[in-house]
Amino acid sequence: MLVLNDISEGFRVFVPRGARGSPAAARAVQRPRRARSPDADEEREKVLVFIAGAVSRDAEGKTSAGGALWYAVDDVRNEGFRVDSVYPQTQQAAEAAAALRAARSVRPQDELVLISSNKHISETLTTNLSGWEDRGWVGNPQGGIFKSLVARLRGRSGATFFLVKKQIPAVVRELAKSGSKRSRTDSLDVSVPKDLSLHGAKLATMTQRQLYVQIKALRGRVERPATVARVALVSEAIRDVTGQWPTEAQVWRSIRHKDLSKGVKFFLYNAMHDAQIIGKYWKHIPECGDREMCVTCGVREDLEHVLLKCERVGQNQIWTHAKELWLQKHPDWPELSLGTVLGCGFMTVKDERGRTLTGASRLLRILMSESTYLIWKLRNECVIRNDGVAPSEREVSQRWRHSLNIRLDSDKAMASSREKFPGKPLAVEVLETWASVLEDEDQLPANWIKHPRVLVGAARYPYSPPIRRVTDRRGRHR
């Protein structure tokens, strides 16, 4: 416990056994302020350091971050370095590492002026510092670097200034860029002196979610081989499509893309963990062993077989409908694989100049995700509910159109009531998404958002919405 102004501020959790707090560790880092008059003490110097970060990609699309410190022209202390792979390969991490190197390179009594084009460091060390330290740096990818930097600045007797400039010398950026392309990484000392170490997180300010995240972090990350293999599969597929190798964090964010429906997100999460109950999972369940094999194809079921290879009615038909509808809007249909289907949140469409087509990209993500989810639902109904009886081609077509019309109706509702759904698609974005794929589009007004009857076209059978059963409070059909 560390007692400061209020006793509630002294209780901290997740503190290592035997660790003790120190008032010096909780001293505030000096905020940026105006330059003062020259110091009379000749031993005190004013050191200006430009810092920068840069990110580069190799031939495989993998990212690497580099930082730079630049004092003056032909100064021997100028250096570029590559950020160690244990830290995030981002520009923010590189600049934080550069600031830490600069703080360690000057004498404690000197005035240090850190100049950067990014306000991330100055805001983290001033405005947001108390909040991050109260949370124990939980959720900050550069938390280890910043914790060491804060301790180093608190241990200095000289003042520290942060200066943000829109333009810094080009040589600084070039130095950081060259550092990111180095073949070897440079080690970074993030040790913290015992008398300046602020352990754990303040109990009075922690939420249940933050406590849970920290508990999981302390327990360590458990890698599931199936999950690692599935993430690698998606990453490689996206690299083949986009030419860039996504990070693991980007892969997980893609399954929560805002253009995906709630059911699709849940399905993709299970798929990334290879957690669907198919194939080998039925082998040891009594009276269900026959579900291990596909009754139509005679092979063991897995997710790739269900979504892309099964000859049962539904799979090939749904992808055919999706392709026909897409070709009405864009001439190129992507090559389907398990990796591209699960990574549909990454899908983007660009024009000849390389600019992203927002509407077409959004429609492609909706088409791929809703078609995938419908194939999975039809398979479950056939195998589990209907004892292997597949639906008719007419039913498959109707349900596919119905799933897209539900998304269309949802877009129309959110675009027409923007004030009720902040952050949802604008009317212009909705119009661009569904342009060229609507039924009788030439007879619709230019702005059909509030038009009562708008259906997705390109179907073999005329559309008729499925009948919804209405039940009372006891679950009885009316």
Side-chain angles (χ1 to χ4, degrees), residues 258-259 362 407 410-418 421-431 433:
K258 63 178 182 178
D259 293 336
R362 188 166 182 271
R407 290 300 309 270
S410 176
D411 278 0
K412 290 168 57 182
M414 289 186 293
S416 59
S417 303
R418 178 73 176 177
F421 303 98
K424 296 302 181 181
L426 295 169
V428 175
E429 186 177 353
V430 173
L431 293 174
T433 299

Side-chain angles (χ1 to χ4, degrees), residues 277-332:
I277 307 300
I278 53 177
K280 60 183 180 180
Y281 291 95
W282 293 109
K283 185 176 182 179
H284 304 289
I285 300 178
E287 301 180 359
C288 295
D290 56 329
R291 296 180 181 176
E292 179 183 3
M293 308 297 291
C294 176
V295 296
T296 305
C297 306
V299 298
R300 174 183 285 181
E301 278 193 324
D302 56 21
L303 194 58
E304 183 177 14
H305 176 80
V306 171
L307 299 180
L308 299 170
K309 297 181 179 181
C310 186
E311 298 179 359
R312 184 188 297 114
V313 174
Q315 181 270 128
N316 184 63
Q317 183 181 353
I318 288 176
W319 288 123
T320 300
H321 287 336
K323 182 178 180 180
E324 291 175 353
L325 186 67
W326 174 251
L327 292 179
Q328 297 181 24
K329 190 177 187 69
H330 196 273
D332 299 323

Side-chain angles (χ1 to χ4, degrees), residues 154-454:
R154 282 185 173 136
R156 302 183 70 254
S157 58
T160 303
F161 301 87
F162 304 97
L163 182 60
V164 179
K165 285 188 173 182
K166 293 183 178 180
Q167 298 294 334
I168 61 175
V171 63
V172 186
R173 300 184 186 276
E174 295 175 359
L175 194 60
K177 196 69 175 180
S178 62
S180 66
K181 296 180 180 180
R182 289 186 177 183
S183 57
R184 295 184 179 180
T185 60
D186 297 273
S187 60
L188 181 65
D189 183 10
V190 293
S191 59
V192 179
K194 292 184 178 179
D195 58 335
L196 294 173
S197 180
L198 188 61
H199 302 285
K202 186 184 295 185
L203 181 60
T205 60
M206 293 291 285
T207 64
Q208 183 177 358
R209 179 181 180 276
Q210 293 167 352
L211 291 170
Y212 181 71
V213 170
Q214 183 67 1
I215 291 173
K216 289 186 64 177
L218 292 175
R219 291 175 58 185
R221 183 177 178 180
V222 179
E223 296 283 1
R224 297 180 69 252
T227 304
V228 174
R230 193 55 61 82
V231 171
L233 175 69
V234 173
S235 300
E236 185 174 356
I238 298 304
R239 190 277 309 269
D240 294 340
V241 174
T242 63
Q244 297 181 351
W245 199 291
T247 63
E248 183 178 354
Q250 290 174 331
V251 172
W252 287 110
R253 283 198 297 269
S254 71
I255 67 176
R256 301 193 302 271
H257 197 283
K258 63 178 182 178
D259 293 336
L260 306 182
S261 62
K262 183 177 180 181
V264 170
K265 293 177 182 179
F266 184 75
F267 166 77
L268 291 178
Y269 178 81
N270 287 333
M272 293 300 298
H273 288 288
D274 195 13
Q276 271 85 10
I277 307 300
I278 53 177
K280 60 183 180 180
Y281 291 95
W282 293 109
K283 185 176 182 179
H284 304 289
I285 300 178
E287 301 180 359
C288 295
D290 56 329
R291 296 180 181 176
E292 179 183 3
M293 308 297 291
C294 176
V295 296
T296 305
C297 306
V299 298
R300 174 183 285 181
E301 278 193 324
D302 56 21
L303 194 58
E304 183 177 14
H305 176 80
V306 171
L307 299 180
L308 299 170
K309 297 181 179 181
C310 186
E311 298 179 359
R312 184 188 297 114
V313 174
Q315 181 270 128
N316 184 63
Q317 183 181 353
I318 288 176
W319 288 123
T320 300
H321 287 336
K323 182 178 180 180
E324 291 175 353
L325 186 67
W326 174 251
L327 292 179
Q328 297 181 24
K329 190 177 187 69
H330 196 273
D332 299 323
W333 173 250
E335 183 178 353
L336 298 179
S337 66
L338 183 60
T340 56
V341 168
L342 299 184
C344 58
F346 279 102
M347 289 298 166
T348 55
V349 182
K350 298 184 179 181
D351 59 11
E352 296 79 4
R353 299 182 180 181
R355 297 175 300 184
T356 301
L357 301 175
T358 304
S361 300
R362 188 166 182 271
L363 178 63
L364 182 59
R365 288 189 287 267
I366 293 174
L367 267 180
M368 294 185 64
S369 61
E370 294 297 333
S371 298
T372 300
Y373 190 41
L374 179 59
I375 293 172
W376 173 248
K377 290 191 293 184
L378 290 176
R379 177 264 171 197
N380 290 344
E381 294 175 5
C382 175
V383 174
I384 301 175
R385 183 188 300 176
N386 301 330
D387 296 327
V389 178
S392 65
E393 292 186 3
R394 182 184 181 89
E395 180 182 353
V396 172
S397 296
Q398 295 281 20
R399 293 188 60 175
W400 178 78
R401 290 191 66 187
H402 181 64
S403 64
L404 292 183
N405 280 313
I406 289 178
R407 290 300 309 270
L408 176 59
D409 291 341
S410 176
D411 278 0
K412 290 168 57 182
M414 289 186 293
S416 59
S417 303
R418 178 73 176 177
E419 65 279 0
K420 296 182 180 180
F421 303 98
K424 296 302 181 181
L426 295 169
V428 175
E429 186 177 353
V430 173
L431 293 174
E432 292 178 354
T433 299
W434 300 99
S436 304
V437 297
L438 299 178
E439 191 174 73
D440 299 329
E441 189 169 358
D442 55 340
Q443 301 178 12
L444 295 174
N447 186 354
W448 43 258
I449 294 296
K450 296 185 178 182
H451 198 272
R453 188 69 171 173
V454 179

Side-chain angles (χ1 to χ4, degrees), residues 8-245:
S8 64
E9 297 181 2
F11 289 96
R12 303 185 71 87
V13 292
F14 309 118
V15 178
R17 185 183 298 274
R20 294 185 177 182
S22 171
R27 182 166 59 91
V29 176
Q30 300 183 36
R31 294 178 176 269
R33 58 189 185 187
R34 295 180 180 178
R36 60 183 183 179
S37 59
D39 200 326
D41 189 357
E42 296 181 357
E43 295 184 358
R44 221 178 261 270
E45 296 181 359
K46 186 175 182 179
V47 182
L48 281 73
V49 185
F50 288 89
I51 59 175
V55 178
S56 61
R57 296 180 182 271
D58 58 14
E60 296 183 351
K62 295 183 178 180
T63 59
S64 59
L69 292 79
W70 193 82
Y71 295 83
V73 178
D74 298 330
D75 195 308
V76 295
R77 295 173 295 178
N78 297 342
E79 67 166 333
F81 60 93
R82 180 177 172 183
V83 179
D84 198 329
S85 58
V86 299
Y87 301 108
Q89 300 300 300
T90 61
Q91 181 182 353
Q92 289 81 4
E95 290 191 0
L100 179 57
R101 287 175 176 268
R104 291 182 179 276
S105 66
V106 299
R107 298 180 303 174
Q109 68 270 24
D110 291 338
E111 287 187 1
L112 175 62
V113 182
L114 297 174
I115 308 174
S116 171
S117 62
N118 193 335
K119 61 182 179 180
H120 173 69
I121 293 179
S122 61
E123 289 185 350
T124 302
L125 296 180
T126 55
T127 307
N128 303 327
L129 178 61
S130 60
W132 282 119
E133 289 193 322
D134 288 347
R135 297 190 295 271
W137 298 97
V138 174
N140 191 316
Q142 303 89 30
I145 302 177
F146 276 118
K147 188 174 182 179
S148 178
L149 176 58
V150 170
R152 174 63 58 175
L153 296 181
R154 282 185 173 136
R156 302 183 70 254
S157 58
T160 303
F161 301 87
F162 304 97
L163 182 60
V164 179
K165 285 188 173 182
K166 293 183 178 180
Q167 298 294 334
I168 61 175
V171 63
V172 186
R173 300 184 186 276
E174 295 175 359
L175 194 60
K177 196 69 175 180
S178 62
S180 66
K181 296 180 180 180
R182 289 186 177 183
S183 57
R184 295 184 179 180
T185 60
D186 297 273
S187 60
L188 181 65
D189 183 10
V190 293
S191 59
V192 179
K194 292 184 178 179
D195 58 335
L196 294 173
S197 180
L198 188 61
H199 302 285
K202 186 184 295 185
L203 181 60
T205 60
M206 293 291 285
T207 64
Q208 183 177 358
R209 179 181 180 276
Q210 293 167 352
L211 291 170
Y212 181 71
V213 170
Q214 183 67 1
I215 291 173
K216 289 186 64 177
L218 292 175
R219 291 175 58 185
R221 183 177 178 180
V222 179
E223 296 283 1
R224 297 180 69 252
T227 304
V228 174
R230 193 55 61 82
V231 171
L233 175 69
V234 173
S235 300
E236 185 174 356
I238 298 304
R239 190 277 309 269
D240 294 340
V241 174
T242 63
Q244 297 181 351
W245 199 291

